[in-house]
Amino acid sequence: MVGGDIHVVHTPRSQKAGPARLSLKDLSLPAEGQFSVALKSISLDVKGGEVVAIAGVAGNGQSELFDAISGERTLADAGMLSIDGRPQGTVGVNARRRAGAAFVPEERLGHGAVPAFRLSENVVLTRHSSDASLVKSGLLQKSGAGDVSERVIKTYDVRMGKVDPEARALSGGNLQKFVVGRELDREPGILVVNQPTWGVDAGASATIRQAIIDLSRQGSAVLVISQDLDEIFEIADRIAVISRGELSDAHPAGELSLQQIGLLMAGAHEKKEGVRHAAVA
Amino acid sequence: MRLLLEKRSEHSQLMTVISPLIAVALTLVTGGFMFLAMGLNPFEALYVYFLEPLKFFWTFAAEDFWPLEQLAVKAAPLVLIGAGLAVAYSANVWNIGAEGQLTAGAILGAVVPVYFTDWQSPLTLIAMLALGAIGGMLWAAIPAFLKNRFGASEILTSLMLVYVSQLLLDWLVRGPWRDPAGHNFPQTVAFADWQVLPVFGESSLHLGVLLAVIAAAALAFMMARTLKGFEIKTLGVSPRAGRFAGFSRAGSVWFCLLLSGGLAGLAGIAEVMNTVGQLQPKISPGYGFTAIIVAFLGRLNPLGTLIAGLALAISYLGGEAAQVSLGVSA
């Protein structure tokens, strides 16, 4: 099924984590519509060299948090989000990319990639402003995009039927490898991934998780939003939990039990009428 | 046997080219039956309609060249407007009111001959063309603003503004702008010298034809090769991915409406600076609406609108010929 051996994800212990590269400070964002979740005063530091995971039941503000961090929705105050110490809350997604951040959304088709575009065109989608070899004075450089696409396909073992196919012609796992690989190829200082291996076969999952860990061990800060607790325990150094738009403190992965995560998922950390419930752990 | 329709996993290059040809072929068959129902010989009727304007290609007779020039002159506004619409529709911006922007462009451009009748210099020509484009842009800016500010559908607002601009034109030519020496006809002064488009040699081919070809080529280049074209296509097929790419939806609404409106305005002023020669209550046989068909028949590709514009222009010319030689009502 997976067309090769599935290798075991190797997680070298994180060396001493560096300074915070991605900082969220009292990040709040109103709900965008009836079915959206408001983010309430979220604070989190992700340091260079570590993987922080955000667990939670679907629909508790994960996609809103992703949009707020990526800059698809900008924040009211620049200081709510800092990249490498510089406030970036009010700038858009491309300015944050130029500051060294990379983002992989949950939906592959229609958000992370345009279904009807070829893979080389989908390279341009997220890298047109941060990669000088793709766009020169407003003109697309097709050879530059083709080179990046080739490199990603080779490095992350993306399997496909023909040369430079449209994104929708790829299987879920192969497209996910491409979408994650497209960002990893930039060697970003900060990587934010929502559901890195959602609906992806075991072989592709292992490749993606290993690549995420390898990136963090090179000194990048990695934030993973996931509903898959097995995945979280496999790759995370610290774990925070989101429920109803509120984020718990991040605890070292080794100190959290499944029961404690379950309590946090149920909202044990939420502030209710000014009273803080008994802290977990 | 059960028939299953299954979506292709990828676009078919072949079908992209063939499907408009199939559409044209089916149109011919349907048209043939309609002529038959009217008691005419369908083959003769279709010949008069679609082939007679192109007779030059097999007779090479000098007198048959004239219909070809007419074809280009009729196709010019269709291509000019259609190419702009093709870009707008690629971004899912549905400008249906090109006819109104055409009218607005003609009105604003005509300010020069109406109020500065004696000003004659090459600058007159440029000023009129520029004002024409600006007039179309201003008219298209209204639906753009309403769309971005209030979420109003540009389909409705741009369409309704067509009738506003046509009534405005009607009022102007019957009222304040009526030619005092015009025997009370509802028309402005006749444009002269630098107020009309220069023609190439002895032909009836005017500057507007050249502008249409340039516009189609420039927009085709923009769509295929520039980041702006990439942005427009992305926002059209996948708005969420467009936002992820950092492209602004509101920005593309402005860009597409101003672009298509400006080109429609240019087509409008070019039309009154040549074929019509002055403002009248009616200045266009519906080019702005026909251009919608041109944009789609050209597969939303600006270069495709060159061919589609010629195809639709044939139906205009053929329709006139059919009235004369077949005695049918158009």
Side-chain angles (χ1 to χ4, degrees), chain B residues 182-264:
Chain B
H183 307 289
N184 236 1
F185 279 107
Q187 56 199 26
T188 62
V189 290
F191 303 168
D193 301 325
W194 283 109
Q195 294 158 356
V196 298
L197 290 175
V199 293
F200 297 100
E202 297 291 301
S203 70
S204 52
L205 297 177
H206 57 76
L207 188 62
V209 178
L210 183 66
L211 288 177
V213 175
I214 292 174
L219 291 183
F221 179 80
M222 180 189 83
M223 292 304 283
R225 288 296 162 86
T226 68
L227 185 60
K228 192 74 200 169
F230 183 82
E231 174 182 339
I232 288 167
K233 281 187 287 189
T234 306
L235 286 166
V237 294
S238 194
R240 191 80 176 87
R243 191 164 94 165
F244 186 55
F247 299 142
S248 151
R249 176 77 193 142
S252 85
V253 168
W254 275 111
F255 179 84
C256 288
L257 274 163
L258 292 184
L259 176 80
S260 54
L263 287 173

Side-chain angles (χ1 to χ4, degrees), chain B residues 109-120 124 128 131 189 195:
Chain B
V111 163
V112 174
V114 169
Y115 289 105
F116 307 95
T117 316
D118 297 329
W119 181 37
Q120 286 292 352
T124 317
M128 284 179 71
L131 282 173
V189 290
Q195 294 158 356

